[in-house]
């Protein structure tokens, strides 16, 4: 078993309580007050929620969320009957290039609420759970900056990033003189490619709910292969 350890930057519980005192929006205040797990809590005791966004582009300062998918899970089970998916009215234009990637069209978004209208529901689903994403710069940055534009306050919370975990695993596996001689390079850490290494099935990418389920399955596999159910959350959250 490998020991991949991320540097602990924050006492997340204390930080969220501080945010609860300082934020103005009542929805954010309720979310922060829920808090999070103690950093020594073992992975087997944690309720996770996998989260995925489809967006109008890759720049959270200029682009916005158009679809949200999430699914609660534990190390042993994915609760597909509790999965949620929303289309979201974007704050910027839906460009042809992004339509080609995720297949979400203007007709899909017709009548879709803006992020403010589903914020209560979204935060209820995330509160008290550990959010799991594949590439935190999308989900964490987009939610923070989109909310800043809409309600003048951002949001931050701990996440597990399965892409970060996979990058560390790949880099660890190519270390050593003989691997250097052979010119070994780390494998792709894209969601689909990462899943293949664990013999997980291939799913059609770029659907928020499908990608959330795929991310949940990937974390379960990563923990099974490289960690243990007793691993403390502080070793892998960010």
């Amino acid at each position: 078993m490998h020991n991949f350890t991320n540097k602990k930057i924050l006492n997340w519980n204390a930080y969220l309580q501080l945010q609860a005192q300082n934020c103005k929006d009542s929805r954010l205040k309720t979310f922060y007050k829920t808090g999070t797990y103690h950093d020594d809590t073992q992975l087997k005791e944690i309720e996770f929620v996998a989260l995925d966004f489809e967006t109008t582009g890759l720049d959270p300062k200029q682009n916005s969320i158009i679809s949200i998918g999430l699914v609660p899970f534990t190390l042993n089970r994915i609760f597909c009957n509790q999965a949620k998916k929303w289309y979201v009215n974007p704050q910027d234009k839906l460009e042809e290039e992004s339509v080609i990637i995720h297949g979400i069209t203007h007709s899909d978004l017709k009548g879709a609420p803006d992020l403010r209208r589903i914020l209560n529901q979204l935060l209820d689903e995330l509160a008290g759970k550990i959010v799991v994403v594949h590439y935190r710069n999308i989900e964490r940055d987009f939610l923070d900056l989109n909310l800043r534009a809409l309600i003048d306050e951002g949001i931050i919370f701990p996440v597990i990033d399965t892409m970060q975990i996979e990058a560390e695993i790949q880099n660890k596996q190519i270390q050593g003189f003989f691997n250097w001689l052979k010119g070994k390079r780390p494998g792709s850490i894209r969601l689909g490619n990462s899943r293949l290494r664990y013999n997980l099935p291939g799913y059609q990418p770029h659907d928020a709910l499908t990608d959330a389920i795929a991310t949940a399955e990937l974390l379960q596999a990563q923990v099974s292969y490289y960690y243990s159910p007793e691993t403390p959350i502080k070793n892998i959250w960010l």
Side-chain angles (χ1 to χ4, degrees):
M1 185 174 297
H2 297 273
N3 181 22
F4 303 104
T5 305
N6 293 312
K7 186 190 291 184
K8 183 183 169 194
I9 299 171
L10 288 168
N11 177 333
W12 275 110
N13 232 326
Y15 182 80
L16 295 185
Q17 295 309 314
L18 186 63
Q19 290 292 95
Q21 292 173 31
N22 294 334
C23 73
K24 298 180 181 68
D25 188 275
S26 61
R27 294 162 294 190
L28 294 181
K29 195 176 285 288
T30 300
F31 170 79
Y32 287 131
K33 277 183 176 176
T34 307
T36 189
Y37 290 91
H38 187 276
D39 58 9
D40 283 324
T41 307
Q42 296 178 350
L43 297 181
K44 65 182 180 183
E45 299 170 6
I46 286 175
E47 292 183 5
F48 303 97
V49 57
L51 178 69
D52 187 82
F53 294 160
E54 296 301 322
T55 60
T56 56
L58 296 175
D59 183 354
K61 293 177 181 174
Q62 298 183 33
N63 302 127
S64 49
I65 301 164
I66 51 172
S67 179
I68 299 172
L70 60 82
V71 63
F73 72 104
T74 64
L75 286 188
N76 300 315
R77 187 174 171 195
I78 297 172
F79 300 98
C80 290
N81 61 335
Q82 296 176 39
K84 300 280 193 304
K85 181 178 177 179
W86 297 274
Y87 286 122
V88 180
N89 190 32
Q91 297 152 247
D92 63 322
K93 288 183 179 178
L94 189 60
E95 301 291 348
E96 185 179 346
E97 188 177 323
S98 67
V99 172
I100 291 169
I101 293 171
H102 47 59
I104 297 171
T105 65
H106 289 93
S107 61
D108 293 320
L109 300 178
K110 189 175 181 182
D114 78 16
L115 190 56
R116 284 170 294 198
R117 281 181 46 206
I118 63 162
L119 187 56
N120 261 334
Q121 298 173 67
L122 176 61
L123 294 180
D124 280 349
E125 297 292 335
L126 303 184
K129 297 186 175 76
I130 299 298
V131 177
V132 181
V133 300
H134 194 78
Y135 189 47
R136 64 189 180 278
N137 290 9
I138 293 292
E139 281 74 22
R140 194 140 73 176
D141 291 2
F142 266 86
L143 188 54
D144 178 51
L145 290 172
N146 279 205
L147 285 182
R148 286 180 191 279
L150 287 167
I151 65 172
D152 216 24
E153 281 193 275
I155 188 171
I156 188 166
F157 46 81
V159 299
I160 292 173
D161 185 349
T162 52
M163 178 182 271
Q164 174 76 23
I165 291 173
E166 200 62 23
E168 292 183 10
I169 290 167
Q170 289 301 301
N171 288 329
K172 185 100 174 173
Q173 288 179 346
I174 64 164
Q175 287 177 5
F177 180 68
F178 288 107
N179 284 332
W180 177 77
L181 276 182
K182 292 174 187 174
K184 281 195 85 170
R185 296 285 180 270
S188 167
I189 54 174
R190 294 174 76 91
L191 181 56
N193 297 107
S194 297
R195 287 172 56 83
L196 287 174
R197 285 189 282 273
Y198 302 92
N199 299 310
L200 293 169
Y203 295 151
Q204 188 70 30
H206 304 303
D207 173 85
L209 181 52
T210 304
D211 284 351
I213 294 169
T215 299
E217 291 175 346
L218 178 57
L219 181 68
Q220 289 177 329
Q222 289 171 327
V223 171
S224 176
Y225 274 67
Y226 296 107
Y227 296 89
S228 87
E230 287 76 35
T231 301
I233 186 65
K234 66 184 177 184
N235 284 21
I236 61 172
W237 68 6
L238 300 163

